Amino acid sequence: MPIKFTTRFVESLKPSETEQTYADADSALSIRTVRSGAYYFFRHKRFGKKQIGRVGTVSLADAREVANAFKSLARKGVSPQQGNANTNPTLVNLYEEYIASKRFHANSPAYQKLFQSRCKKYVLKKLGNYRVSEITESVAKDFWKWVCKNADGKNKENTAILCSSHLSAILEWANDSLPNFSISTNPTRFRKNFSKTERTRVLSQSELRLVLSEFQNQHSPFREFLICTLLTGIRNGELAKMRWSEIEINVTASDLNSITNETLSVWNCPAETSKHKQPVRYVLADDVVKLVLSLPRINSYVFTTGRGADTHITSQGKEAAKIRSKLAFNDPWTLHDLRRTLVTHLSESGVPAAEIDRFIGKRVSEGAASHAAYDFAPRLLEKKRVAEAWSQTIRSLTKE
């Protein structure tokens, strides 16, 4: 009769002169005790026994994962006894097959390049020689901790997130695409303890003046992109994906309260580009429109280096890092801090919080909730006033 295996039960097992066999009530795992000790194994009516490892050398959790993986193979009609490169390949073999697959090449060239770079630097360096059955949750956790400690740059945790995601992508592709391959559970799906850091950095006017001066000295299209990031407060990841087809020039906007009509320019940021997966209509100040229209139309993206068939810029963070290193402020800053700086300075100048939030693309719930759910283009003239007010503030920095 199956027994619920626990760590205490497993540790209590002693060598036996006669073979004793136990089955786990929670998995496909079994244990046999003999004179030399206790051993984990998987047993199947059709395929027989498959040894997993010695109790004490292999943890109970890892043994359960391997046994369940063998069970998944057996359900597909594949014998766990084969244990060859097709059913239990090394991670590096899976990686090479994945990067040659259609699923991988469906991603953008920039993503492919970063994926391969991170995998070679971290994933394959640490786990490349592991057989898939050996990549258990505990191994994935150790890998996560290792990247968090040894990754380059300051945001090591973010690199660990990406590396764990890459490992998951390889394993899930193999599970979906390879006929003789199966994993029972994805070992990267464990609860990750993220560190909580609250960013409060706001640049002063004197710092903004120096940052703007450095932005203006950059080469195109990074010069235009960085200045537009400062002028709009739009998240740099969203702004980088702006397309020419999404921009409207000279849109007529009305204000029923003052009975006025004005023209303005709008970027219709689609749901797939915005962080919260909702469409946003950003109003662009005249200074932003001039910068955008000064760029050549190389492909569908406004900000592009022209490398690749149809790609947007991806190295804006590196350019900002070079400027940050050159200026060497006492308190470091990021491109996202420019968004916080815009909000803070506009608030200090008396602009209402709701108007600022609408300008930078945040949802402001006013009136009936049902109306807010459908309203994706509120108060364009209000947004224009805020855009021009901030643009004038930045323009004044160059005159002082």
Side-chain angles (χ1 to χ4, degrees):
M1 185 175 178
I3 303 171
K4 184 172 182 178
F5 287 176
T6 64
T7 303
R8 178 176 292 182
F9 169 77
V10 170
E11 291 175 348
S12 70
L13 295 174
K14 305 295 183 183
S16 175
E17 291 294 329
T18 58
E19 181 176 325
Q20 302 289 328
T21 302
Y22 308 91
D24 186 16
D26 292 341
S27 69
L29 183 64
S30 294
I31 295 177
R32 68 186 181 95
T33 58
V34 293
R35 183 182 300 176
S36 59
Y39 297 85
Y40 296 114
F41 71 95
F42 168 74
R43 179 169 54 188
H44 192 269
K45 290 181 179 179
R46 177 182 172 187
F47 299 118
K49 294 181 180 180
K50 174 66 177 176
Q51 184 99 346
I52 295 175
R54 186 186 180 100
V55 172
T57 303
V58 179
S59 71
L60 175 59
D62 290 351
R64 274 199 178 113
E65 283 198 45
V66 174
N68 288 333
F70 287 159
K71 184 177 180 180
S72 296
L73 285 175
R75 283 176 175 171
K76 292 183 178 182
V78 178
S79 171
Q81 292 285 4
Q82 293 175 2
N84 55 26
N86 291 325
T87 59
N88 194 22
T90 61
L91 184 63
V92 69
N93 289 334
L94 277 188
Y95 164 81
E96 290 171 353
E97 290 192 57
Y98 175 60
I99 63 173
S101 69
K102 290 182 179 179
R103 185 184 295 187
F104 178 70
H105 285 279
N107 297 303
S108 68
Y111 173 83
Q112 294 177 40
K113 183 178 179 180
L114 290 172
F115 181 98
Q116 294 179 73
S117 174
R118 278 191 288 261
C119 280
K120 290 176 181 177
K121 194 167 187 178
Y122 302 108
V123 182
L124 299 183
K125 179 179 179 180
K126 192 69 174 176
L127 304 176
N129 292 327
Y130 275 66
R131 294 283 177 186
V132 173
S133 64
E134 298 171 335
I135 304 177
T136 59
E137 183 175 306
S138 62
V139 170
K141 285 181 178 178
D142 289 340
F143 172 66
W144 160 270
K145 294 175 183 176
W146 178 80
V147 178
C148 284
K149 182 178 179 180
N150 297 285
D152 293 338
K154 291 185 178 180
N155 199 343
K156 300 178 187 294
E157 194 172 86
N158 186 57
T159 303
I161 294 170
L162 293 168
C163 288
S164 185
S165 174
H166 295 341
L167 174 60
S168 176
I170 295 170
L171 294 175
E172 290 187 353
W173 166 81
N175 194 52
D176 295 341
S177 306
L178 301 182
N180 294 329
F181 179 87
S182 178
I183 55 173
S184 58
T185 56
N186 189 325
T188 66
R189 299 288 177 82
F190 58 89
R191 184 178 180 85
K192 300 172 178 66
N193 296 319
F194 299 108
S195 60
K196 295 181 179 180
T197 56
E198 183 178 350
R199 293 287 299 170
T200 58
R201 181 72 162 101
V202 174
L203 279 70
S204 65
Q205 283 202 4
S206 59
E207 289 176 328
L208 276 177
R209 190 178 299 109
L210 293 172
V211 167
L212 178 60
S213 177
E214 290 298 325
F215 284 178
Q216 292 170 333
N217 291 332
Q218 301 304 303
H219 58 84
S220 184
F222 293 103
R223 175 179 62 252
E224 291 80 6
F225 176 83
L226 292 171
I227 297 175
C228 284
T229 302
L230 177 59
L231 288 172
T232 62
I234 299 173
R235 298 178 182 89
N236 77 88
E238 294 179 1
L239 188 63
K241 298 174 184 177
M242 177 190 282
R243 295 179 184 267
W244 291 107
S245 59
E246 298 162 354
I247 299 174
E248 294 180 274
I249 306 295
N250 295 328
V251 175
T252 301
S254 301
D255 188 334
L256 296 179
N257 293 324
S258 58
I259 317 177
T260 59
N261 289 305
E262 293 184 34
T263 58
L264 44 81
S265 298
V266 175
W267 173 37
N268 295 293
C269 177
E272 58 269 22
T273 297
S274 72
K275 177 182 178 181
H276 299 296
K277 304 305 176 185
Q278 296 285 352
V280 183
R281 282 169 67 83
Y282 289 106
V283 171
L284 307 177
D286 292 341
D287 289 344
V288 175
V289 174
K290 289 177 183 177
L291 286 168
V292 167
L293 296 182
S294 69
L295 292 166
R297 298 199 180 196
I298 299 174
N299 56 38
S300 69
Y301 290 103
V302 174
F303 302 104
T304 178
T305 56
R307 299 172 184 171
D310 193 22
T311 58
H312 56 78
I313 61 172
T314 57
S315 301
Q316 61 271 24
K318 291 183 179 179
E319 296 299 319
K322 292 177 184 177
I323 296 171
R324 181 169 60 248
S325 177
K326 180 179 179 181
L327 294 176
F329 293 155
N330 291 332
D331 192 0
W333 55 276
T334 66
L335 284 179
H336 194 75
D337 291 332
L338 298 180
R339 180 176 169 91
R340 187 180 301 102
T341 298
L342 176 152
V343 171
T344 302
H345 284 278
L346 282 177
S347 180
E348 288 176 348
S349 65
V351 180
E355 294 185 17
I356 299 173
D357 284 351
R358 274 189 283 266
F359 171 61
I360 63 174
K362 286 190 174 184
R363 298 295 302 278
V364 179
S365 296
E366 294 179 342
S370 59
H371 170 77
Y374 291 99
D375 187 0
F376 294 108
R379 307 189 187 185
L380 293 181
L381 286 179
E382 172 197 282
K383 290 183 179 182
K384 182 181 180 181
R385 287 193 295 271
V386 178
E388 294 299 340
W390 179 244
S391 181
Q392 177 59 38
T393 299
I394 297 303
R395 202 181 303 127
S396 67
L397 296 177
T398 62
K399 297 177 181 179
E400 295 179 7

